[in-house]
Amino acid sequence: MGRGTLRIYLGAAPGVGKTYAMLAEAHRRVERGTDCVVALVEHHDRPRTEVMLHGLEQIPRSEIDCRSAVFTEMDVDAVLERAPAVALVDELAHTNVPGSRNAKRWQDVEELLKAGIDVISTVNIQHLESLGDVVESITGVRQQETVPDEVVRRADQIELVDMSPQALRRRMAHGNIYQPDKLDAALSNYFRPGNLTALRELALLWTADRVDEYLQQYRGEHNIRTTWQARERIVVGLTGGPEGRTLIRRASRMAAKGSGSEILAVYIARSDGLTSASPKELAVQRTLVEDVGGTFHHVIGDDIPAALLEFARGVNATQIVLGSSRRKTWQYIYGPGVGATVARESGPDLDVHIVTHEEVAKGRGLPIARGARLGRARIVSGWLVGVAGPVLLSLLLRSLENGPGLANDVLLFLFLTVAAALLGGLRPALASAAVGVMLLNYWFTPPTQTLTVQDPENFVAIVIFFAVAVAVSSVVDLAARRTHQAARLRAESEILSFLAGSVLRGETALDALLERVRETFAMESVALLERASDVDPWTCAGFVGPAPVARPDDADVDMPVGDNMALALSGRVLPAEDRRVLGAFAAQAAVVLDRQRLVSEADRARRLAEGNRIRTALLAAVSHDLRTPLAGIKAAVSSLRSDDVAWSPEDEAELLEGIEDGADRLDHLVGNLLDMSRLQTGTVTPLIREIDLDEVVPMALGGVPEGSVDLDIPETLPMVAVDPGLLERVVANVVENAVKYSPGGEPIAVAASAHGERVELRVVDRGRGVPDEAKERIFEPFQRYGDAPRGAGVGLGLAVSRGFAEAMGGTLDAEDTPGGGLTMVLTLTAAPGREQAQDRTVLPAEATS
């Protein structure tokens, strides 16, 4: 039995109609005679969705007991036993109740697919694992239920269920999605127009990328090489030279003119040695490409124009951006250049843009890594000049009635030998000298047309010619070798210098270092492998490039680092002269890996130390601050229950009041402990909305004695963007702390004022104040300044207040009060505009999670 197919309805937000579309598809299939069942569908009491379930067979759910409650989940065994052709499974990212067959619902779906059952499912864009941070930055809500991107990408069909934000909000207002009591909170928080627009864009772009994968697969299967201009893709050809930054910025401006345009920067390295570009400059250009939203690609190819066009057609590009050549005028004798060749060979489906820059015609200079190594064209030219040149020269001189004479003939042949040495090196020059000697002897030395030399002076001239030719050839070849070695050493020194600089700068990105190795040596993939001992298997500590090797023995090049670590490279075999630089890279990779692990261990130790400090303080608080009110409550209760004492009504009232005060203190202490725990674990998620301060602050003063606060909040203040519940807790904690330390019952001042886009709330007391060096310490957990009496709290109030303030995007700081005392300054973000302030309602504190 083959594997089943998976069809997914993808939406930007809840309520766009994914489940409805899935059920509509099920009805169409049932009408066509397909065996289709509902394995699990969540209609969330939406009447229109619930109606769509009528007429469809539903598999009963399994019941699971968890924490004294009964929950229902999809019965995987029942679905497998029923074995339908198609099963409907809603909410693919759902986390199953503990005790279920699988932890996640997508794992249940995987079982159905393996059993040959086709599955239709739904998922929202915010549940994709790779988009969790992006969605949280947009909505302020961290999605706890996620599904791996690969699960969704493997789907045979993905259909986007799209709806405009305005239409979705109207659907919500009509009560088609949520109950009426939840509408206001939903519309003013998660379902704001800006949130919905951003989520919709995410869904459209993600689906477009998936469509692009289908398109690339189709073009590959059908061997389609022409460009389909579905959208603009701009390929930027980089040489590693300084003009690359200009080309990237120019391509970015071109892409900005068309929505959905894509930038792909490509560097093409030759396959026969170190690359000809500076790794430092390539790293800068890679960062610039990523900053403008493009991608960087590294391609290996000896024919640069062909490789560039092959890459552009492979990614279905529509435009190529190249820089004007840095060659000097005389250097064009070697060929038309990359830009002209690409423009000539691009065809009608690729537009080629040649961009001018400051480095035009300034010369390329010696390649940093390749040096003066002779290319194939120069070697062929050297052989032609060295072998065919003397023959043609002989024919030319023989055609003259009165030749220039033997001395001049020797000089002409010597010139060809030197030219062959300059073009092709030592071997063509030696061949040219040998051919020249034979031709001089046979045609121009009496007696001609014989190899005999009659005059001794002519014999000396021929010998001297051959000796000079060999000497000149050797000198020219040696100079070329020394130039190449100098260029290699220059390239190696620059690489090693940059590598040493990265050590001094403390760079700890292993992937970046491995990518630099891949670019420097023009390899396909690089992996850092390690093992615990000689008998343990190799594990990959980091890699770049496709298909990294799993063992050093499988690599084209491996560089050991100690006994149990190796750098493995795939792509080609490196010459021995390159392994010295590779060894430096390997040693640095090991250092970077060790540094990363040390940093991780230091962070873990710091967290453990912080946890130990908090636990110690918590034990101290529990041992005294929590036991003190408990002891008072215990004593009062024991007194009331005593049969041998007749308490008067006044005494009973006093004892009951003591019990109530102790219980209130316990409630306050436990509440602060729980709030601190939420802040430590990062589970505070504020529900930001616009509200007036005079709606929240008065409610926060209920826990202080009447007359202990002078309140001054102008009606002209702008609204603030806060979570009302969290703001109330912050103000209550700060005010209660100020009242506690205010001398002689002197009232404290609570005043608000606006400063641009910020609103400040100041709580002013006239107490002893706090020195400057202790102003930050009072906001740390379990800190009580000075001679605070025991039983006055565990020192969490200000720590919790600052944590809540920062969670809402505000700040809480301490300042000196002029004339003595302490002023707490709570800074909040002002809402944009006030014209809608009268239409706002306060969310209940229970809405804060």
Side-chain angles (χ1 to χ4, degrees):
M1 181 180 295
R3 179 183 173 87
T5 61
L6 175 62
R7 178 171 182 170
I8 292 179
Y9 286 93
L10 176 68
V16 295
K18 304 180 301 299
T19 305
Y20 190 94
M22 179 178 67
L23 293 173
E25 174 65 19
H27 279 286
R28 284 193 291 270
R29 297 198 181 198
V30 169
E31 291 174 359
R32 295 197 299 264
T34 304
D35 182 15
C36 183
V37 301
V38 176
L40 187 143
V41 166
E42 302 285 359
H43 55 74
H44 299 292
D45 296 327
R46 297 169 186 169
R48 296 179 182 273
T49 305
E50 193 171 2
V51 168
M52 292 295 292
L53 285 169
H54 296 167
L56 296 176
E57 179 186 350
Q58 301 185 46
I59 303 294
R61 303 187 184 189
S62 62
E63 296 184 351
I64 300 175
D65 293 329
C66 181
R67 298 177 182 177
S68 302
V70 178
F71 299 90
T72 60
E73 293 288 358
M74 180 176 67
D75 193 337
V76 180
D77 290 328
V79 178
L80 292 174
E81 183 178 355
R82 170 64 174 77
V86 181
L88 274 59
V89 182
D90 206 3
E91 298 184 359
L92 186 64
H94 171 74
T95 300
N96 292 330
V97 175
S100 301
R101 182 190 186 98
N102 295 301
K104 303 287 290 187
R105 186 166 291 167
W106 64 264
Q107 295 171 325
D108 296 337
V109 169
E110 188 68 21
E111 286 197 37
L112 301 182
L113 295 173
K114 289 181 179 178
I117 300 174
D118 295 342
V119 177
I120 304 178
S121 188
T122 65
V123 71
N124 283 328
I125 192 68
Q126 66 264 29
H127 293 299
L128 294 182
E129 199 167 72
S130 65
L131 299 179
D133 294 339
V134 179
V135 173
E136 182 180 10
S137 66
I138 294 171
T139 65
V141 178
R142 182 68 179 183
Q143 298 295 331
Q144 301 300 324
E145 295 187 329
T146 60
V147 59
D149 289 43
E150 185 60 28
V151 173
V152 182
R153 288 185 179 275
R154 284 202 308 262
D156 299 276
Q157 297 181 57
I158 298 178
E159 182 171 334
L160 178 65
V161 183
D162 189 27
M163 177 175 288
S164 69
Q166 295 77 11
L168 180 56
R169 286 171 60 85
R170 283 197 302 270
R171 177 180 287 184
M172 292 188 62
H174 293 158
N176 295 333
I177 300 176
Y178 289 150
Q179 298 299 322
D181 59 333
K182 299 180 180 179
L183 283 181
D184 291 339
L187 288 172
S188 61
N189 290 285
Y190 191 88
F191 288 85
R192 293 195 299 268
N195 288 0
L196 296 178
T197 302
L199 292 173
R200 186 189 189 198
E201 183 179 17
L202 274 179
L204 291 170
L205 291 175
W206 195 92
T207 308
D209 288 340
R210 179 60 174 157
V211 171
D212 192 52
E213 292 177 10
Y214 281 131
L215 180 60
Q216 296 295 344
Q217 180 180 354
Y218 179 84
R219 285 165 53 85
E221 291 174 351
H222 293 78
N223 197 27
I224 298 174
R225 308 305 300 163
T226 58
T227 299
W228 289 0
Q229 299 185 1
R231 62 170 172 168
E232 292 292 340
R233 283 189 177 86
I234 304 173
V235 170
V236 184
L238 301 178
T239 65
E243 78 281 0
R245 307 182 198 183
T246 302
L247 302 185
I248 295 169
R249 295 189 180 98
R250 182 70 180 94
S252 176
R253 292 194 296 271
M254 294 169 58
K257 295 179 181 179
S259 179
S261 298
E262 184 179 356
I263 300 175
L264 301 95
V266 57
Y267 170 71
I268 300 174
R270 298 185 186 273
S271 61
D272 56 352
L274 296 172
T275 62
S276 60
S278 165
K280 181 178 180 180
E281 181 64 28
L282 275 180
V284 172
Q285 293 178 15
R286 173 193 290 274
T287 302
L288 180 59
V289 170
E290 294 172 351
D291 289 343
V292 300
T295 56
F296 185 91
H297 302 268
H298 187 278
V299 177
I300 298 175
D302 291 322
D303 189 340
I304 293 180
L308 181 60
L309 289 171
E310 182 71 18
F311 174 82
R313 293 193 175 102
V315 298
N316 199 27
T318 57
Q319 302 180 56
I320 298 178
V321 175
L322 299 173
S324 296
S325 178
R326 286 185 282 136
R327 290 181 174 185
K328 293 183 180 294
T329 303
W330 64 269
Q331 291 178 316
Y332 281 95
I333 63 174
Y334 300 122
V338 174
T341 304
V342 170
R344 184 180 66 246
E345 303 293 337
S346 62
D349 54 349
L350 268 174
D351 298 332
V352 180
H353 304 266
I354 305 296
V355 179
T356 57
H357 49 84
E358 296 179 352
E359 303 297 323
V360 173
K362 290 186 178 180
R364 299 178 62 91
L366 286 174
I368 294 177
R370 289 179 57 81
R373 184 180 297 171
L374 300 177
R376 181 181 301 174
R378 289 188 59 179
I379 293 176
V380 172
S381 300
W383 280 102
L384 289 176
V385 171
V387 177
V391 175
L392 295 177
L393 178 61
S394 298
L395 295 176
L396 176 62
L397 294 176
R398 291 286 295 174
S399 65
L400 299 177
E401 293 183 2
N402 297 317
L406 180 61
N408 292 325
D409 293 341
V410 169
L411 291 177
L412 290 174
F413 278 95
L414 182 61
F415 171 77
L416 291 179
T417 301
V418 173
L422 292 173
L423 287 175
L426 180 62
R427 292 181 180 179
L430 293 178
S432 178
V435 173
V437 167
M438 297 295 294
L439 293 175
L440 280 171
N441 188 5
Y442 190 82
W443 292 107
F444 304 103
T445 304
T448 59
Q449 297 183 7
T450 178
L451 296 179
T452 303
V453 179
Q454 184 176 359
D455 191 343
E457 294 181 357
N458 292 338
F459 179 79
V460 172
I462 293 176
V463 171
I464 292 176
F465 162 74
F466 185 77
V468 170
V470 172
V472 170
S473 302
S474 301
V475 170
V476 171
D477 183 71
L478 181 62
R481 291 177 183 273
R482 292 289 183 264
T483 303
H484 171 62
Q485 291 174 0
R488 284 192 57 84
L489 292 175
R490 175 186 170 191
E492 291 181 7
S493 64
E494 182 175 345
I495 293 171
L496 294 174
S497 174
F498 184 74
L499 195 58
S502 67
V503 175
L504 296 176
R505 290 190 297 270
E507 296 181 0
T508 57
L510 180 61
D511 291 344
L513 179 64
L514 296 181
E515 181 63 30
R516 191 172 297 127
V517 173
R518 189 171 77 96
E519 293 175 354
T520 301
F521 295 98
M523 306 300 286
E524 294 180 359
S525 65
V526 179
L528 182 62
L529 307 176
E530 62 176 349
R531 58 183 178 181
S533 65
D534 294 340
V535 297
D536 290 323
W538 290 94
T539 60
C540 184
F543 72 92
V544 294
V549 298
R551 300 184 308 160
D553 296 340
D554 300 333
D556 294 319
V557 181
D558 70 285
M559 175 59 65
V561 187
D563 295 331
N564 298 313
M565 186 176 293
L567 193 65
L569 294 80
S570 300
R572 65 185 180 88
V573 178
L574 283 181
E577 57 195 15
D578 290 345
R579 295 183 65 87
R580 178 174 53 190
V581 178
L582 181 60
F585 272 111
Q588 175 64 1
V591 171
V592 169
L593 181 61
D594 289 341
R595 184 181 297 148
Q596 284 183 345
R597 290 173 175 171
L598 289 174
V599 170
S600 177
E601 291 178 2
D603 289 341
R604 186 162 55 250
R606 180 184 55 79
R607 289 194 298 268
L608 289 174
E610 179 68 16
N612 288 332
R613 188 184 68 82
I614 292 179
R615 279 193 293 272
T616 302
L618 179 59
L619 289 174
V622 171
S623 65
H624 188 281
D625 295 286
L626 294 182
R627 292 180 63 185
T628 299
L630 280 175
I633 294 173
K634 175 67 175 178
V637 172
S638 299
S639 299
L640 287 174
R641 295 187 60 188
S642 177
D643 296 332
D644 55 353
V645 179
W647 302 102
S648 64
E650 292 79 6
D651 293 335
E652 289 183 356
E654 184 177 353
L655 291 173
L656 291 173
E657 183 179 358
I659 294 174
E660 185 178 7
D661 290 342
D664 289 341
R665 288 170 59 189
L666 279 177
D667 179 68
H668 181 73
L669 292 173
V670 172
N672 278 338
L673 288 172
L674 292 176
D675 289 337
M676 198 66 231
S677 174
R678 294 169 61 199
L679 288 171
Q680 292 288 339
T681 56
T683 57
V684 176
T685 305
L687 301 178
I688 305 297
R689 53 162 300 184
E690 299 175 5
I691 196 170
D692 284 314
L693 276 180
D694 55 11
E695 296 183 40
V696 179
V697 175
M699 293 189 297
L701 305 181
V704 297
E706 187 175 352
S708 60
V709 176
D710 291 336
L711 189 60
D712 180 19
I713 299 182
E715 296 182 356
T716 57
L717 276 180
M719 302 175 76
V720 291
V722 296
D723 182 313
L726 295 185
L727 178 60
E728 184 178 344
R729 291 293 307 278
V730 172
V731 175
N733 280 350
V734 174
V735 170
E736 289 175 7
N737 189 75
V739 170
K740 183 188 307 180
Y741 291 98
S742 184
E746 182 178 349
I748 66 171
V750 178
S753 58
H755 301 275
E757 299 180 353
R758 311 291 288 177
V759 174
E760 287 185 357
L761 182 70
R762 292 178 171 267
V763 180
V764 183
D765 68 58
R766 295 292 179 179
R768 296 175 52 251
V770 177
D772 291 339
E773 62 272 13
K775 282 187 172 63
E776 284 299 314
R777 195 165 64 248
I778 62 176
F779 292 104
E780 296 179 3
F782 303 104
Q783 295 292 324
R784 293 185 295 185
Y785 175 69
D787 56 352
R790 300 297 294 180
V794 294
L796 285 176
L798 293 181
V800 169
S801 298
R802 172 172 275 191
F804 283 172
E806 292 176 349
M808 295 185 293
T811 58
L812 179 62
D813 300 295
E815 297 179 357
D816 291 328
T817 302
L822 189 68
T823 299
M824 290 291 179
V825 183
L826 175 62
T827 306
L828 304 170
T829 303
R834 186 181 170 82
E835 61 275 7
Q836 299 178 351
Q838 302 303 324
D839 297 333
R840 304 284 180 177
T841 58
V842 181
L843 281 176
E846 289 78 14
T848 304
S849 61

